Amino acid sequence: MNEKPIRVGVVPIGNLDGIFAKTVAAHLLGYFHLQVDILSPMGHPDYAFDPGRRQFDAGLILKALGKRPFRNSQKVIGIVDVDLFVPILTHVFGEAEQGGRHALVSLHRLRKREDGAPAPLSQLLERTAKVALHETGHLFDLLHCREKRCVMHFSGSLRDLDQTPLFLCKYCSLYLRDAFKRASRP
């Protein structure tokens, strides 16, 4: 049986430096061996701003991604530089439709060190890559992993995220490989 390649689209949302989309694309290709296209940017998500929380509703941005066709992309990852929330959490670094098509990566909280100073660019890009790999795992139905040495481990703080590796544990690797096989079937 011929397998079709899995194509992932990376969409900058708002005015972002191109280095972030290129970083996400490079890591999805290098670590997960996915075909990646950097797509045309979307406008700033003003529609998702919640004045009560002074943050942006990740669910509304995911819905907006869902309204765009992205015909050549099996999965789509948006990158945004706003502070995201979901109703049950104070903030999220990223959000994904579990087993679905769309995910988000937020740079907003990744830009800072724990003392509030700006994070060096190398640390910001590594964090961006980790969140993108993690959310991509969710798109292929991986759940949070108990293993701290796995990119699917839940990171509630920057300290957690910085201690998380850029790779999957052996169990999540096996699960993802099977998920890719299922997704590649014509």
Side-chain angles (χ1 to χ4, degrees), residues 47 58-68 97 102:
Y47 54 86
L60 292 177
I61 302 172
L62 288 174
K63 280 186 182 178
L65 280 172
K67 291 179 181 173
R68 305 262 314 253
E97 299 167 343
H102 306 100

Side-chain angles (χ1 to χ4, degrees), residues 7 9-11 13 39-42 62 64-78 101-102:
R7 297 200 77 83
V10 176
V11 181
I13 301 174
L39 306 175
S40 299
M42 290 175 57
L62 288 174
L65 280 172
K67 291 179 181 173
R68 305 262 314 253
F70 303 119
R71 288 186 180 87
N72 296 323
S73 301
Q74 200 168 344
K75 306 288 184 183
V76 177
I77 299 175
R101 187 171 180 219
H102 306 100

